[in-house]
Amino acid sequence: MKIRAKPHFSVSTQTQQKIAFTLLGIASSLVVVPVIVIFAILIQKGWPAINWQFLTTMPRMGMRAGGIFPAIMGTLYLVGGTIVVALPLGVLAAIYLVEYARRNFLTRMIEVAIVNLAGVPSVVYGLFGMGLFVIYLKMGVSIVAGALTLAIMILPVIITSTKEALQSVPRSFREASLALGVSKWQTIRYVVLPNALPGILTGTILGISRAAGETAPILFTVAAFYLPRLPKSIFDQCMALPYHLYVLSTQVPNVKPALQYGTALVLVGMVFLLNLVAILVRSHIRSRKQW
Amino acid sequence: MNKIETKNLSLFYGTFQALIDVNLSVEEKMITALIGPSGCGKSTLLRTLNRMNDLIDGVRITGEVLIDGENIYGKETDLVLLRKKVGMVFQRPNPFPLSIFDNVAYGPRTHGSKNKAELEDIVEKALKHVELWEVLKDKLDHFALNLSLEQQQRLCIARLVAVTPDIVLMDEPCSALDPVATQRIEELMFELKKNYTIVIVTHNMQQAARVSQRTGFMLLGKLVEYGETRQVFTTPREKKTEEYITGRYG
């Protein structure tokens, strides 16, 4: 029996394989390169600007000096408000769709709507929020209006990830509970939700990190150009990091580049931290999960 | 009066008829076995008895299932009460990913026993009932999924016993277990028979012959033969039954 294949044939497959591996390798490194470059430049140029004072004081001299404290706090308020609205709404909607809704035309329509909602450009959410919350519902340019707009934007993320988390809870758990004479709602409350929690949390954090970084939805609904104080109530405007960065970079002349890069670094750092938390939560729960 | 009685029970998955005019009567405090080849409808029949089939979309049922003389497919049936009364043990042990204590306490807790002493009492009794208490009494806070499969299945039975059902349905409860564990679970069934009416589905004919007093043989959705286990296995009335128990198909 001949094990060695014909020489020209074998060379050609091996060469093909090498070429394929090289191409795949290049493609995957190309994905990583921009991330590393962005981080490197941000850290190199922004790090010198970051100190305690930068993080905790108000901007001064038309934002050319001082800190970005109100922008950081504004972003935190917005993120908080967004969670309060989007998390319960999204989780309840997902529970309904997965556990209660029958497969029919209506639920299919709802699912298609959710997918499409996820693909709507963020500036459209911004304009929609302005039209509905700011003007029609007379909330004015305010934290409520901004948080509601961001909440609508991240709802699809939360609903989709919650649905997947609920569907991944084994059917046998539900059956075991129902067969003990436990009602459907109690089964969801005590068996399904606790086991779906990690997935729900991950989705929520990813949604929130998106909300923290978007500019367009807050542009017309909440963000203040220059407001060197903390908001007085949820009906007040506030500064926010993404918008502040945009303002520093394009709207104010003669800003030291270090300030711009410093702001960008803080924003990226916050989003990165949120994502990191999501990854840690997920891996922690996965290591405990034994089914 | 028979504990369970089905009258002209038919079940359809969409257009496929999985049960055809089944008339079965189950006597109190006995073990009734349902045997038959895969896909004959024995599990489906079992799951009509606590309405677990309701969970599947597109299921339609005609006929009646009487439990203590009441039609459980009637309009007034409370599913929660029904399933409290008619409990189920599944093919694969399916304890919750909780501690041993919390698994057994799960049913009583959701049914409203909040008192800690009362729960401890219920858990102890239930675990004693399935002979797990001596082994596990110091490990009640351990994670239930780390137990052996046999212990998990016992735990599932204890979890069921804790809500004091009347009837216990067992859907191939030993198919995931090794022969020794199987034997021990069978011994437990004998023990349980004193207090509960048991209906067991099994593809293991020897098991049916060993544990049950009544046997029903099913084929293609029909209850072909039903009677005393000894009679069904030694002098079957139907030719199909004889061919099945002598291993000609299955």
Side-chain angles (χ1 to χ4, degrees):
Chain A
M1 190 172 65
K2 266 170 68 179
I3 293 178
R4 258 198 309 173
K6 287 178 197 155
H8 73 273
F9 185 70
S10 116
V11 166
S12 118
T13 42
Q14 279 183 8
T15 322
Q16 276 177 17
Q17 173 154 303
K18 266 183 197 151
I19 293 170
F21 281 168
T22 318
L23 281 176
L24 292 172
I26 291 172
S28 42
S29 359
L30 280 180
V31 176
V32 183
V33 169
V35 178
I36 295 174
V37 170
I38 290 174
F39 261 89
I41 293 177
L42 279 183
I43 291 173
Q44 188 209 346
K45 298 196 176 174
W47 189 254
I50 291 183
N51 52 43
W52 189 243
Q53 199 199 0
F54 181 68
L55 296 175
T56 57
T57 61
M58 302 294 164
R60 283 179 291 118
M61 296 170 59
M63 293 180 271
R64 289 181 191 86
I68 54 166
F69 183 59
I72 295 177
M73 290 312 289
T75 290
L76 290 179
Y77 289 141
L78 284 175
V79 162
T82 307
I83 305 179
V84 168
V85 179
L87 185 59
L89 204 59
V91 170
L92 290 176
I95 290 177
Y96 173 74
L97 286 173
V98 173
E99 306 287 343
Y100 289 100
R102 297 229 160 230
R103 309 252 95 230
N104 57 24
F105 183 70
L106 182 67
T107 48
R108 263 200 297 280
M109 286 301 290
I110 294 177
E111 269 155 18
V112 169
I114 291 167
V115 172
N116 281 306
L117 213 52
V120 171
S122 55
V123 67
V124 176
Y125 284 107
L127 290 168
F128 172 77
M130 180 176 75
L132 179 64
F133 301 122
V134 176
I135 297 170
Y136 184 71
L137 294 175
K138 298 192 174 65
M139 292 175 184
V141 174
S142 63
I143 294 178
V144 201
L148 285 170
T149 309
L150 288 171
I152 294 179
M153 183 185 73
I154 68 165
L155 260 182
V157 181
I158 293 185
I159 293 178
T160 311
S161 57
T162 304
K163 271 176 66 186
E164 275 163 20
L166 293 172
Q167 279 158 350
S168 74
V169 175
R171 195 190 152 89
S172 66
F173 289 2
R174 295 164 213 260
E175 287 191 335
S177 175
L178 292 170
L180 291 168
V182 173
S183 71
K184 187 159 180 174
W185 168 245
Q186 285 175 314
T187 299
I188 293 169
R189 167 77 186 71
Y190 296 113
V191 175
V192 181
L193 276 183
N195 286 299
L197 203 57
I200 297 174
L201 280 182
T202 323
T204 309
I205 294 173
L206 289 178
I208 282 166
S209 71
R210 181 168 172 216
E214 282 283 358
T215 315
I218 56 172
L219 195 56
F220 319 111
T221 52
V222 50
F225 184 78
Y226 179 52
L227 191 72
R229 59 170 175 82
L230 292 181
K232 292 193 189 81
S233 78
I234 55 168
F235 296 104
D236 205 352
Q237 305 181 22
C238 68
M239 295 178 84
L241 279 172
Y243 185 59
H244 187 58
L245 178 59
Y246 164 72
V247 167
L248 283 186
S249 315
T250 61
Q251 307 295 302
V252 186
N254 304 324
V255 180
K256 275 182 289 178
L259 275 187
Q260 301 165 354
Y261 280 106
T263 308
L265 184 58
V266 171
L267 176 58
V268 171
M270 272 173 72
V271 172
F272 179 73
L273 251 160
L274 283 171
N275 285 332
L276 194 69
V277 171
I279 293 166
L280 287 179
V281 167
R282 195 166 40 187
S283 66
H284 172 67
I285 309 261
R286 226 179 243 162
S287 67
R288 268 186 32 200
K289 183 156 112 178
Q290 307 194 24
W291 37 270
Chain B
M1 184 171 65
N2 288 317
K3 192 74 183 167
I4 307 174
E5 217 168 304
T6 73
K7 287 188 174 165
N8 301 326
L9 180 68
S10 291
L11 181 144
F12 302 82
Y13 293 119
T15 52
F16 172 73
Q17 187 166 8
L19 295 177
I20 303 164
D21 274 332
V22 173
N23 291 291
L24 171 80
S25 34
V26 173
E27 288 162 70
E28 195 165 8
K29 293 191 180 155
M30 280 199 186
I31 301 182
T32 303
L34 296 172
I35 59 170
S38 301
C40 67
K42 53 192 191 300
S43 282
T44 302
L45 175 57
L46 192 76
R47 293 165 72 95
T48 58
L49 304 182
N50 65 345
R51 291 189 60 172
M52 270 324 235
N53 287 322
D54 289 22
L55 303 179
I56 302 164
D57 274 343
V59 165
R60 194 163 57 82
I61 289 163
T62 60
E64 289 184 344
V65 175
L66 305 176
I67 290 182
D68 288 330
E70 262 181 275
N71 183 14
I72 61 167
Y73 285 91
K75 283 210 162 47
E76 281 108 62
T77 307
D78 180 338
L79 276 185
V80 167
L81 291 180
L82 169 69
R83 291 182 184 145
K84 254 173 104 167
K85 181 170 171 169
V86 187
M88 191 161 204
V89 176
F90 295 84
Q91 198 164 348
R92 280 202 68 80
N94 56 355
F96 300 121
L98 300 169
S99 74
I100 292 166
F101 184 92
D102 287 339
N103 258 285
V104 183
Y106 176 80
R109 243 182 213 150
T110 48
H111 293 139
S113 318
K114 299 276 185 262
N115 186 320
K116 194 161 178 284
E118 188 190 342
L119 282 175
E120 278 169 0
D121 194 46
I122 292 174
V123 171
E124 180 177 341
K125 272 193 191 135
L127 287 176
K128 274 184 177 157
H129 213 102
V130 299
E131 287 157 35
L132 276 180
W133 178 251
E134 288 306 317
V135 205
L136 297 182
K137 64 182 172 193
D138 302 319
K139 304 181 189 168
L140 293 180
D141 55 338
H142 285 209
F143 197 59
L145 298 183
N146 292 338
L147 297 173
S148 73
L149 278 179
E150 183 208 337
Q151 287 179 327
Q152 287 188 23
Q153 195 62 302
R154 279 176 189 268
L155 184 68
C156 292
I157 297 173
R159 180 176 66 185
L160 185 56
V161 166
V163 299
T164 57
D166 217 9
I167 297 167
V168 176
L169 308 175
M170 296 183 156
D171 190 357
E172 307 199 16
C174 300
S175 64
L177 305 181
D178 63 56
V180 178
T182 300
Q183 193 194 345
R184 289 167 48 100
I185 295 285
E186 286 175 8
E187 282 161 13
L188 175 61
M189 283 183 219
F190 272 117
E191 213 37 55
L192 291 172
K193 179 175 73 112
K194 291 175 191 158
N195 298 305
Y196 305 96
T197 305
I198 299 178
V199 183
I200 176 177
V201 159
T202 175
H203 58 228
N204 177 340
M205 276 179 287
Q206 288 77 16
Q207 180 170 58
R210 281 192 302 263
V211 300
S212 71
Q213 288 79 53
R214 296 285 181 275
T215 295
F217 169 64
M218 293 192 68
L219 189 64
L220 299 173
K222 285 184 182 146
L223 183 64
V224 173
E225 178 154 1
Y226 178 72
E228 270 189 50
T229 298
R230 185 191 302 266
Q231 174 260 313
V232 172
F233 277 91
T234 54
T235 52
R237 283 188 293 270
E238 302 289 329
K239 196 159 178 301
K240 288 279 178 203
T241 315
E242 189 187 335
E243 283 174 2
Y244 180 71
I245 59 177
T246 52
R248 224 150 314 155
Y249 62 93

